[in-house]
Each structure stands twice: as structure tokens, then as C-alpha cells.
Amino acid sequence: MKKILVILGGGRPKGNTARLVQAFMEGAREAGHETELVSLIKTEVKGCLGCNACRYGKPCIQKDGFNEIVPKIRKADLVVFASPLYFWTISSRLKAFIERFYCIAQEDSDPPLGRYEKYPVKDSALLMTSADDFFWTFEQAVSYYQFAVVNYIGFQDKGMLLAGGCGDTNGKPQIEKTDHLKQAYEFGKDIYETEKKLK
């Protein structure tokens, strides 16, 4: 059993991304994993101030919800980043959350190329929805996830579900008209399936 922490970075409470997340979590629970959801609509996390007061091992000085989430990050085996597509990338709420990882960094005397410090080693995944479904729709978001979360923070990518074509941005959520909810359920259910087979 794995502990899976899902960070929902905005969108409507009953919108496409929220539905995608629920389907993923249902699949993960079906496979025997423990899941927890943190909505950044309900839990405010401000962007990093760059003040360096948190270096190293000190909590962030900002009085918001991030310090309450830190123990959940530390306990999790997998952190899932979920966001609707806003202006061709992840939501500002989710980006602010990722920026705040700065305060859980530890000093590293010999960091790998392109990194200044070390972070807890976790698995990660990306869930996204959008109205558009062009071949380039998610390029900026995927690039940010790869550079910031995988390459820099050093999380181990377990995959992405990029759910395009979920309806008009001015209309009601239409993700149920696609195969994405089924895909999300299967993604959650099978995300550690390879490891089971190797044991």
C-alpha cells in the first residue's frame, strides 16, 4: 500500500479537474492505496517571498496553509499535481504551492548538475484538463512539471494524464463525454502495478 497525496490546484469544485482527480483516487483506493486530497481553493498557499528565512529546516514564515501540508508531503509516497490548464500552463495556485517547496529543501554539499539542494525523494504524477485539445495544448505545463518537479526537485515521474477536449471554457464541465474519467481510474489503479509484478 502507498500513501498518495493529491494536490488540486484550482478550478471549479465540481469541474473537470475535480472529477478527474476523484476518478484517479477511486482507482488508487481500489488498488489498496491510501489517498488524501488537498484543494488549494480551500487551503490557501501563497507564493514564495524569496526571503530565505526558511533555510534550512525552518518553517516558512508565511501564515497560510503550506506548513500544515508539509507533514503530508513528507509522509506521502506519491504526490499528484492536478490542475486545469490556465493560459497554457498550470494554475497560479499550483505554481505557488510548488514554489514553497523551497522551505523543505536540505543543504547538499555536492548537488547534481542544475540543482542547489536536496528534497525528499517522492514519486509524482501530473493530472490536467483543458477545453482545447491541440497537439501543443499541454506543452508549457508539461515542460514546467518536468523542469521544476522532476529535474530540479528530483521527484520520480510516474506518469501524466493530459485530458484535453473537456468542453467549452464558458460552458458546463463535459469530461464525462470523453474517455478521460475511465483513463484516470485506470491510471490510479495501475500506477504501482509494475512494482507489484516485480515483487
Side-chain angles (χ1 to χ4, degrees), residues 11-194:
R12 303 166 191 172
K14 296 181 181 178
N16 290 320
T17 311
R19 294 183 191 191
L20 194 74
V21 162
Q22 289 302 324
F24 174 88
M25 292 174 68
E26 284 173 20
R29 287 193 295 267
E30 176 71 21
H33 304 303
E34 180 183 318
T35 65
E36 182 174 0
L37 174 66
V38 172
S39 169
L40 298 181
I41 295 175
K42 297 177 181 178
T43 303
E44 183 186 29
V45 174
K46 300 172 185 174
C48 178
L49 296 173
C51 67
N52 272 350
C54 65
R55 313 256 82 183
Y56 285 105
K58 299 171 188 171
C60 180
I61 62 169
Q62 296 194 74
K63 306 302 180 188
D64 61 12
F66 187 76
N67 287 330
E68 297 169 16
I69 304 173
V70 171
K72 301 177 191 292
I73 296 169
R74 294 194 188 283
K75 290 177 184 175
D77 298 295
L78 170 68
V79 180
V80 179
F81 300 87
S83 175
L85 187 77
Y86 287 165
F87 281 78
W88 310 111
T89 190
I90 61 172
S91 70
S92 57
R93 286 186 180 97
L94 189 58
K95 187 174 185 298
F97 171 78
I98 293 169
E99 286 177 5
R100 295 284 290 283
F101 272 59
Y102 192 64
C103 77
I104 60 175
Q106 296 296 316
E107 196 166 5
D108 192 341
S109 59
D110 187 25
L113 183 66
R115 213 176 286 166
Y116 299 101
E117 56 240 337
K118 59 184 175 182
Y119 292 85
V121 178
K122 304 291 175 184
D123 294 329
S124 65
L126 179 66
L127 300 176
M128 293 197 70
T129 61
S130 73
D132 295 308
D133 198 17
F134 303 115
F135 71 91
W136 46 265
T137 293
F138 294 102
E139 278 192 7
Q140 291 279 4
V142 169
S143 177
Y144 180 77
Y145 169 73
Q146 288 283 2
F147 273 92
V149 176
V150 179
N151 294 351
Y152 185 70
I153 293 175
F155 281 12
Q156 299 165 358
D157 179 39
K158 298 293 286 183
M160 298 177 247
L161 178 52
L162 308 174
C166 292
D168 191 302
T169 54
N170 296 317
K172 293 181 179 179
Q174 296 182 39
I175 196 169
E176 71 278 355
K177 295 181 181 179
T178 73
D179 291 331
H180 298 317
L181 296 180
K182 181 180 178 184
Q183 292 168 356
Y185 176 84
E186 295 298 331
F187 186 26
K189 189 176 178 182
D190 297 339
I191 197 159
Y192 284 104
E193 193 60 33
T194 306

